[in-house]
Amino acid sequence: MSENAHPRADAMDALTTGELLALMQSEDLLAVESVRPALDRIAAAIDEISTRLRSGGRLHYFGAGTSGRLAALDAAECPSTFGVPPELVQAHAAGDGEAEDDDRMGAEDARQARLGADDAVVGISASGRTAYVLAASERPIARVQS
């Protein structure tokens, strides 16, 4: 399994509704604040993705479990929200459970996506170590003949 349970997961059943909501809200704040140190890297990634898309590349998300479903939702919204062709942003998702830990499936999904030199790959993983996502992200770029 590529994700860990929250340290207070076993005690959640004993919390009142108010305590549970306070815990959830404090965790939400931690998540939001954890982005701050990465803002420069996120900006650089967005700039690089934009350059690739303007050069004719596509954006490929690779995710697993809930992360994969969120990627699929984002990709599905791009055509209507931004007026782009549906093939510009594509999501590839492993599903739940053992599929998340299937590095061979990640590499195969990346191969089948026929990634080109201008394509951008974004791996989406709550833990940062999901085998499917890492394998798809490390897949060498296929040179597509025109």
Side-chain angles (χ1 to χ4, degrees):
M1 199 81 190
S2 55
E3 296 177 21
N4 298 322
H6 187 278
R8 292 184 56 190
D10 291 339
M12 284 186 191
D13 288 344
L15 297 177
T16 66
T17 302
E19 291 169 334
L20 183 58
L21 289 172
L23 175 62
M24 291 171 62
Q25 196 262 341
S26 67
E27 292 298 316
D28 286 346
L29 291 173
L30 287 174
V32 170
E33 282 302 315
S34 71
V35 174
R36 184 182 312 274
L39 287 177
D40 288 341
R41 290 181 302 174
I42 294 168
I46 291 169
D47 290 343
E48 179 65 24
I49 291 166
S50 297
T51 298
R52 290 172 177 270
L53 294 179
R54 282 192 298 276
S55 297
R58 302 164 296 163
L59 172 57
H60 290 267
Y61 291 131
F62 288 89
T66 301
S67 298
R69 287 189 289 281
L70 291 172
L73 178 63
D74 187 69
E77 287 294 320
C78 285
S80 61
T81 301
F82 301 109
V84 299
E87 62 275 2
L88 185 66
V89 180
Q90 300 177 27
H92 312 274
D96 292 320
E98 291 180 16
E100 295 181 13
D101 299 319
D102 191 340
D103 58 340
R104 280 183 255 157
M105 182 170 41
E108 178 61 18
D109 284 357
R111 187 190 68 73
Q112 287 185 14
R114 299 181 49 85
L115 301 172
D118 288 329
D119 290 342
V121 172
V122 174
I124 304 175
S125 168
S127 69
R129 59 182 186 271
T130 304
Y132 170 88
V133 175
L134 292 175
S137 300
E138 293 170 356
R139 177 78 180 152
I141 295 173
R143 301 293 182 222
V144 179
Q145 298 294 326
S146 301

